Amino acid sequence: MTDTRPPRADAVRNRAALLAAAADEFAERGMDASVADIARRAGVGKGTVFRHFATKDDLIAAIVLDRIDELTTAGEGLLDAEDPGAALLEFLTVAAHQRQQRDLSFLHGAGDVDPAVARARERMYRTVHELVDRARRHGAVRADVTGTDVILLMCAPNYVASYAPGAPPELWRRYLGILFDGLRPQGAHPLPEPPPPAL
Amino acid sequence: MTDTRPPRADAVRNRAALLAAAADEFAERGMDASVADIARRAGVGKGTVFRHFATKDDLIAAIVLDRIDELTTAGEGLLDAEDPGAALLEFLTVAAHQRQQRDLSFLHGAGDVDPAVARARERMYRTVHELVDRARRHGAVRADVTGTDVILLMCAPNYVASYAPGAPPELWRRYLGILFDGLRPQGAHPLPEPPPPAL
DNA sequence: ACCTGAACACCGTTCAAGT
DNA sequence: ACCTGAACACCGTTCAAGT
């Protein structure tokens, strides 16, 4: 019997304020914005941050959870598209676009993430696998590329574009284009290494 | 007249010990190994680190400088290869392989790097441009891809492979293969975004 | 000249004291 | 039950004091 009392009113308010403040602060200052600044922006004491989120990483995880779910929803909506190749490209475009903002290695995070994020991530992975399978069956993706490959490659366009100094904000689209051409069956060369263990 | 006295014997010894200790420590613990640990490993006081390298980033820069020069040398040796396409692929393989070890976003670093690194980097960039131009003229690289594109894409295979949990250590070769297929003229689709300003 | 370790400012995190 | 700010451990960096 986990009789969970409803939380106090100021607690829910503070939690929401912290999430909003953290999202803003991270977007402006990057992932190493200080907890103190986030607390100040949310109008609470530093200690309150750690009452709601055991660690700074947990706070990041809470924000990340929303983004992953958004992405999964977008992917699921593309599962019954008429053109499976275009659907996969569209999904990768949404993925790159939403995380254009920041660092975001969160999609595949190492080690001990909290179970909610792990679950959300696995749902998203399953969606990617389906999208890739459909695209492959349709001849839009080469036979030797797996869903896991695409999951790993997903973040590359943003990563690559982020290192161009005075680059246009949509540069990632160019590298997504090159990547996608690499995923196509036309002109594909055999790959020197087997795919990694499935995600 | 910058009459530069030769440095004291213990100074050169300490500097070399620090570089070696830092390289080891970074390789083992990652880029956020502590300066205190590096100093201890080198057998000097913490303060000595900052006498030789104004900042931790400068210490990293000194290590990075060597790697960049190695890469440039490899690239220059490939400029007169018979097969320019294979030469470019080989260069990208060397690049990925040498920086298999670690983080290494250093190749294109933001803002205020020290001038020695900036110079080394520009030499390397020029080499990449030549390799790409030759490969393109030879029909091994698509017409709409620039040297700057390849400079930016260079790090992607390592980055992508680094997020696969139980992956084989040579997984980057697989993603270099996919990337390289994306760079080939066969089956290339028009890119939605123009190339970034030249590096 | 160069080395050293104590001292500083800044982080994430903890916790006793308040309401 | 929740909030708060002082306190702690750990960083990179500085600098007065030593040789």
Side-chain angles (χ1 to χ4, degrees):
Chain A
M1 294 292 106
T2 53
D3 72 319
T4 335
R5 297 265 156 165
R8 237 165 58 180
D10 54 349
V12 294
R13 199 173 345 113
N14 282 339
R15 195 190 149 90
L18 277 170
L19 283 172
D24 290 350
E25 204 74 13
F26 286 143
E28 288 175 17
R29 300 245 208 287
M31 280 314 184
D32 51 350
S34 84
V35 171
D37 285 347
I38 293 172
R40 199 174 310 125
R41 187 162 187 153
V44 301
K46 262 199 309 183
T48 305
V49 179
F50 292 97
R51 167 151 269 269
H52 288 279
F53 309 97
T55 180
K56 185 187 179 181
D57 283 338
D58 284 356
L59 172 56
I60 295 177
I63 295 177
V64 149
L65 192 79
D66 293 344
R67 306 257 174 100
I68 295 181
D69 283 338
E70 279 172 35
L71 189 54
T72 306
T73 303
E76 287 168 344
L78 287 163
L79 279 176
D80 49 3
E82 330 80 71
D83 182 345
L88 179 58
L89 181 55
E90 170 66 13
F91 174 80
L92 293 176
T93 301
V94 172
H97 190 246
Q98 82 157 12
R99 117 182 59 92
Q100 183 183 352
Q101 341 203 27
R102 274 300 155 190
D103 190 347
L104 308 291
S105 35
F106 61 78
L107 281 192
H108 356 275
D112 27 76
V113 277
D114 78 40
V117 174
R119 261 196 311 275
R121 209 151 63 181
E122 267 162 53
R123 267 184 64 219
M124 192 208 68
Y125 287 176
R126 272 199 298 277
T127 309
V128 177
H129 274 104
E130 287 196 51
L131 285 166
V132 172
D133 286 346
R134 295 188 75 237
R136 197 190 305 102
R137 267 185 256 119
H138 204 251
V141 162
R142 56 201 282 180
D144 57 353
V145 157
T146 71
T148 304
D149 286 328
V150 174
I151 289 169
L152 292 172
L153 289 162
M154 226 169 66
C155 297
N158 284 287
Y159 170 75
V160 170
S162 74
Y163 281 113
E170 305 264 290
L171 183 60
W172 56 269
R173 291 185 188 273
R174 180 173 177 86
Y175 299 119
L176 177 54
I178 292 176
L179 168 64
F180 207 76
D181 279 351
L183 295 175
R184 288 188 156 103
Q186 299 89 352
H189 291 61
L191 296 171
E193 196 76 14
L199 292 174
Chain B
M1 294 289 108
T2 53
D3 72 320
T4 336
R5 299 262 157 167
R8 237 164 57 181
D10 55 348
V12 295
R13 199 173 345 112
N14 283 339
R15 193 190 150 91
L18 276 170
L19 283 172
D24 290 349
E25 204 75 14
F26 286 143
E28 289 176 16
R29 300 246 209 286
M31 280 314 183
D32 50 351
S34 83
V35 171
D37 284 348
I38 293 171
R40 198 173 311 125
R41 188 163 187 151
V44 302
K46 262 198 310 183
T48 306
V49 179
F50 293 97
R51 167 151 269 270
H52 287 280
F53 308 97
T55 181
K56 185 187 179 181
D57 283 338
D58 283 357
L59 172 56
I60 296 178
I63 294 177
V64 149
L65 191 79
D66 293 345
R67 305 259 173 99
I68 295 181
D69 282 338
E70 280 172 34
L71 190 53
T72 306
T73 304
E76 286 168 345
L78 287 163
L79 278 176
D80 49 3
E82 331 81 71
D83 182 344
L88 179 58
L89 181 54
E90 171 66 14
F91 174 79
L92 293 176
T93 300
V94 172
H97 191 246
Q98 82 157 11
R99 119 180 59 92
Q100 183 182 352
Q101 340 203 28
R102 275 297 157 194
D103 192 346
L104 310 291
S105 36
F106 61 76
L107 282 191
H108 356 274
D112 28 76
V113 276
D114 78 39
V117 173
R119 260 195 312 276
R121 211 152 61 183
E122 267 163 51
R123 267 184 65 217
M124 193 208 67
Y125 287 176
R126 272 199 297 277
T127 309
V128 177
H129 274 105
E130 287 195 51
L131 285 166
V132 172
D133 287 345
R134 293 187 76 238
R136 197 190 305 103
R137 267 184 255 118
H138 204 253
V141 162
R142 54 201 283 181
D144 57 353
V145 157
T146 70
T148 305
D149 286 327
V150 175
I151 289 169
L152 293 172
L153 288 162
M154 226 169 67
C155 297
N158 285 286
Y159 169 77
V160 169
S162 73
Y163 281 114
E170 305 265 289
L171 183 60
W172 57 268
R173 291 186 189 273
R174 180 173 177 85
Y175 299 119
L176 177 54
I178 292 176
L179 168 64
F180 207 76
D181 279 350
L183 294 175
R184 288 187 155 103
Q186 300 89 354
H189 291 60
L191 296 172
E193 196 77 12
L199 292 174

